[in-house]
Amino acid sequence: MAERYSSFRSGSTAWLLQRITAAFLVVVLAFHFFNLHFVTHAANIEFAGSQARMQNVGYFVTMVLFLVTATFHGVNGIYNALVNQGIEGNAKRAAQVVLGVAGLLLVVQGIRVAIALAGF
Amino acid sequence: MSQSYDRGLIEDFGRWREFTAGMWAWVFHKFTGWVLIGYLFTHIAVLSTSLQGAETFNSTIQGLESLALVRLLEVGLLAVAVFHILNGVRLLFVDLGVGLESQDKSFYASLVLTGVIVVASVPTFVSGAF
C-alpha cells in the first residue's frame, strides 16, 4: 500500500479549502480558456466585448470568484511548497506576510479591473 | 492505517533518476502551479490597462497578440493549465480514496491527454500570428 504524500497537513482548514477551490477552479479555468481562446479568439478581444461579457451579473460574479479562489489556491500552494522545503521561524512568518499581502493586493487590483471592464 | 515505505525525500531533486511516476506527478504539479500563479499576476497586470480606458486596453491586447512569441507562450500556458487541471482531478480522486492503486496509470493518462489537447489546440492559438 502506498502512503499518501501531500504538501498539506491533512485535516487542516487550509487543506480543505485548497481542495474546495481546486474543484471550483477545474471547471472555471477550463471554461475561461475555452471561452477566451475558442469561442472568442484571444487576438479578437476588445474592450467592448469584454464589457458586454462583464455586464452579465452571473459572469461578473463568476470571474470575481475565479480571481479570489485562484489567488487563494496559488498563494496557499506556494506557501505549502515553501513549508515543505523546510522553511521555519522568521522565514515562515515572512512568507506568510509577503504572500498574504501579495494575494490581497492581487485581489484588490483584480476587482478594480473587473469593475472598470464592466463599467459599473 | 496504510503501510508506509521509505522512498526518500522528493525535495532532493538530485535523485531524479530514481523518481517514480507519482513523484514526477508531484514535481510537475508543483512546477505548473508556480507557472500558473506567476501568470495570474502578469494577467491582472496586463488587464489593468483597462483602467486607462478602452483605447489603451485594445492597443495593449492587440499589440501582444500580434507577437508570435506571445502566441507560442500561450500554447505553453495551455499545456501547463491542462496538465494542472487533469492532474488536479487525479489528486482530488486519490484524496477521496478513489484510484490510489492505479495513480501511476492516471498520471500517464493525464500526460497523454494534455499532449492531445495541446496539439489539437495549436492551430487555433497561432492562427494569424505567422
Side-chain angles (χ1 to χ4, degrees):
Chain A
M1 280 286 276
E3 185 183 29
R4 172 169 43 215
Y5 191 82
S6 170
S7 302
F8 300 90
R9 197 160 49 83
S10 181
S12 69
T13 308
W15 180 90
L16 182 64
L17 283 176
Q18 190 73 357
R19 273 134 194 89
I20 291 172
T21 53
F24 176 75
L25 288 166
V26 159
V27 178
V28 181
L29 178 58
F31 162 75
H32 188 63
F33 247 100
F34 188 75
N35 194 33
L36 297 174
H37 280 282
F38 292 89
V39 178
T40 303
H41 292 279
N44 298 330
I45 286 174
E46 288 189 338
F47 191 92
S50 299
Q51 188 152 75
R53 282 187 292 274
M54 290 297 271
Q55 282 183 344
N56 178 311
V57 176
Y59 186 88
F60 181 89
V61 171
T62 305
M63 287 302 107
V64 171
L65 277 175
F66 184 26
L67 170 73
V68 174
T69 52
T71 303
F72 172 82
H73 190 87
V75 166
N76 191 44
I78 287 180
Y79 174 67
N80 282 282
L82 293 174
V83 169
N84 214 227
Q85 287 295 126
I87 61 162
E88 287 174 6
N90 286 341
K92 192 172 173 180
R93 188 75 199 128
Q96 285 171 348
V97 172
V98 170
L99 289 169
V101 170
L104 197 63
L105 288 174
L106 185 68
V107 168
V108 169
Q109 181 66 1
I111 290 174
R112 288 182 70 213
V113 167
I115 291 169
L117 281 173
F120 291 155
Chain B
M1 280 292 275
S2 61
Q3 280 184 301
S4 63
Y5 65 97
D6 182 14
R7 46 104 188 93
L9 271 181
I10 197 167
E11 291 80 5
D12 184 4
F13 295 118
R15 294 175 57 243
W16 65 273
R17 282 186 189 83
E18 301 163 35
F19 282 8
T20 56
M23 293 160 90
W24 279 118
W26 188 93
V27 171
F28 285 6
H29 203 75
K30 286 283 154 177
F31 171 74
T32 52
W34 280 94
V35 172
L36 288 172
I37 187 66
Y39 176 72
L40 180 58
F41 278 88
T42 313
H43 194 41
I44 294 299
V46 170
L47 295 183
S48 292
T49 54
S50 63
L51 297 166
Q52 308 297 317
E55 244 176 68
T56 311
F57 180 82
N58 289 344
S59 61
T60 304
I61 301 287
Q62 279 155 22
L64 286 170
E65 288 295 324
S66 67
L67 301 172
L69 175 65
V70 169
R71 300 295 195 92
L72 291 175
L73 286 172
E74 282 179 343
V75 175
L77 181 70
L78 177 74
V80 159
V82 171
F83 175 79
H84 202 82
I85 287 174
L86 294 176
N87 194 56
V89 170
R90 168 182 168 273
L91 289 177
L92 286 173
F93 275 112
V94 167
D95 266 337
L96 293 170
V98 178
L100 182 59
E101 296 304 321
S102 52
Q103 58 84 22
D104 51 346
K105 292 183 191 71
S106 56
F107 165 58
Y108 297 135
S110 300
L111 278 181
V112 171
L113 201 50
T114 299
V116 170
I117 291 172
V118 170
V119 169
S121 303
V122 166
T124 303
F125 273 63
V126 301
S127 70
F130 293 96

